[in-house]
Amino acid sequence: MTLDALRARFAPTRGYLNAATCGLPVAGTVAALVDGVERWSRAEHDLADYDAAVAASRAAFARIVGVPTSDVAVAAQTAALVGMVATSLPAGAEVLTVEGDFTSVTYPFLVRTDLRVRAVPLAELAHRIGPSTDVVAFSLVQSYDGAIADTDAVVEAARRVGALTVADLTQAAGWLPVDATRFDVTVTSAYKWLCAPRGVTFLTAGPQARDRLRPVHANWYAGADVWSSVYGHDLRLADDSRRFDLSPAWLCWLGATPALEAFADELAGPVPDAVRGHDVALADALRAGLDLEPAGSAIVSLPDPDGSGGARLARAGLRAAARGGCARLSFHVRNDDDDVAAAVEALRG
């Protein structure tokens, strides 16, 4: 698949600059969801179809982030997976986090009052990892402003002291090429840049990391054989990362498969940087139009304490987000130069 072919899978839209909040569906997702609901309404739904969609989505996501399918677990929300990591830690463990990070990454650790949780600026994250650090938990791309963590420095520093790395890829996977094998654990909600329905979330954990996690959400879908694990007391969890699966919201996964397979074809193809190149070029063009330096991120966050910038965008028919006293604009596959020009005109007006 080429970038143009991927773009063609989306309905033509104008002025939607909000992928960092919620991605737009590919045509295949819309068709799959409509068909799924209609079959459900006629009592023609088949649980085997739902399981097949989960399996196909799992495999596509594994391709996107470069891990074996056996390393991927499925869930509905990021916080549940981060919470599993937090629950797996011994009392007194030190967790290093990022100031202002998304709370689905920080709150699960903070509610454990017997953990030592420290927050540091993103730019200092690698330098603040020390011998007492047990876990480094951070978003690879910050939701607030699109800042990108220095993966090389963080991973190298964590490995020196044996700290577990937990990376939230929610604001990265889909536009920023990611090699999830570099981290011990990753979590990703796929409804933003990967354009799946909300309720589709993934965890990755290799064999060594799996041994450090406790499957506190153990349930029938995490069984070695799913449909033989629905009753009883004989604990038969999967040997691989499926042991961390949460029971899926089935209809969501019908819609996820077309989106994830489309992105897998593009991001795992011969030109994996094509989406990043497209998205970042548009974001940096906006920054240039506002006399700002390029930042190399698909997300642009502009100070907007009184909301006037967001109001001008809305009056111009442009969809963006208000986050933390800023107007946040995010550019993805369906956006083009006309969207940038419209945003520049609105914000300068």
Side-chain angles (χ1 to χ4, degrees):
M1 182 184 294
T2 65
L3 179 60
D4 286 343
L6 178 59
R7 285 169 52 83
R9 296 194 180 202
F10 292 85
T13 57
R14 280 292 171 202
Y16 188 77
L17 310 176
N18 208 11
T21 297
C22 183
L24 298 179
V26 298
T29 292
V30 177
L33 288 174
V34 170
D35 179 66
V37 171
E38 289 181 344
R39 286 190 291 117
W40 176 31
S41 73
R42 298 191 299 265
E44 295 173 357
H45 57 297
D46 187 334
L47 301 189
D49 292 339
Y50 296 143
D51 282 344
V54 174
S57 297
R58 191 193 310 264
F61 182 77
R63 290 174 58 203
I64 289 169
V65 299
V67 302
T69 305
S70 58
D71 286 359
V72 179
V74 302
Q77 292 111 7
T78 293
L81 298 174
V82 179
M84 180 184 67
V85 177
T87 303
S88 301
L89 301 178
E94 179 183 279
V95 182
L96 193 63
T97 62
V98 172
E99 291 178 353
D101 208 339
F102 199 73
T103 52
S104 290
V105 181
T106 60
Y107 277 8
F109 297 105
L110 292 169
V111 297
R112 285 242 357 226
T113 56
D114 59 347
L115 299 179
R116 293 176 293 129
V117 182
R118 294 196 295 135
V120 301
L122 179 65
E124 299 178 17
L125 183 60
H127 304 296
R128 303 288 284 274
I129 298 171
S132 63
T133 306
D134 296 294
V135 177
V136 185
F138 63 102
S139 295
L140 181 56
V141 175
Q142 291 293 302
S143 172
Y144 172 69
D145 61 1
I148 304 172
D150 185 344
T151 298
D152 292 340
V154 171
V155 168
E156 181 180 351
R159 285 180 178 166
R160 281 200 303 266
V161 300
L164 190 77
T165 51
V166 180
D168 181 0
L169 309 182
T170 298
Q171 293 290 4
W175 75 267
L176 184 70
V178 175
D179 177 3
T181 64
R182 303 194 64 194
F183 309 104
D184 295 305
V185 178
T186 73
V187 293
T188 308
S189 286
Y191 70 95
K192 297 178 184 286
W193 302 91
L194 289 170
C195 302
R198 183 170 171 84
V200 173
T201 301
F202 298 95
L203 172 141
T204 69
Q208 291 184 331
R210 287 199 288 269
D211 291 340
R212 300 175 67 174
L213 302 179
R214 182 184 304 169
V216 295
H217 305 300
N219 67 95
W220 67 282
Y221 211 80
D225 180 75
V226 169
W227 291 102
S228 298
S229 303
V230 292
Y231 301 115
H233 292 75
D234 183 12
L235 186 64
R236 305 179 300 275
L237 296 182
D239 293 331
D240 57 17
S241 284
R242 268 207 321 105
R243 68 173 60 184
F244 307 121
D245 276 6
L246 276 73
S247 178
W250 277 317
L251 286 171
C252 297
W253 294 87
L254 292 178
T257 303
L260 294 167
E261 290 183 339
F263 277 93
D265 288 344
E266 173 60 37
L267 297 173
V271 192
D273 277 353
V275 175
R276 173 171 61 178
H278 172 83
D279 293 4
V280 170
L282 295 176
D284 280 346
L286 172 68
R287 296 180 66 87
L290 300 175
D291 302 321
L292 300 172
E293 293 296 319
S297 176
I299 298 172
V300 180
S301 188
L302 305 169
D304 190 29
D306 63 358
S308 59
R312 290 196 297 273
L313 290 168
R315 286 196 296 271
L318 304 176
R319 294 280 300 278
R323 292 290 184 274
C326 292
R328 188 185 69 185
L329 298 84
S330 41
F331 294 86
H332 204 17
V333 174
R334 276 301 308 160
N335 295 119
D336 58 22
D337 292 335
D338 290 340
D339 292 321
V340 174
V344 171
E345 181 178 359
L347 290 168
R348 281 197 171 279

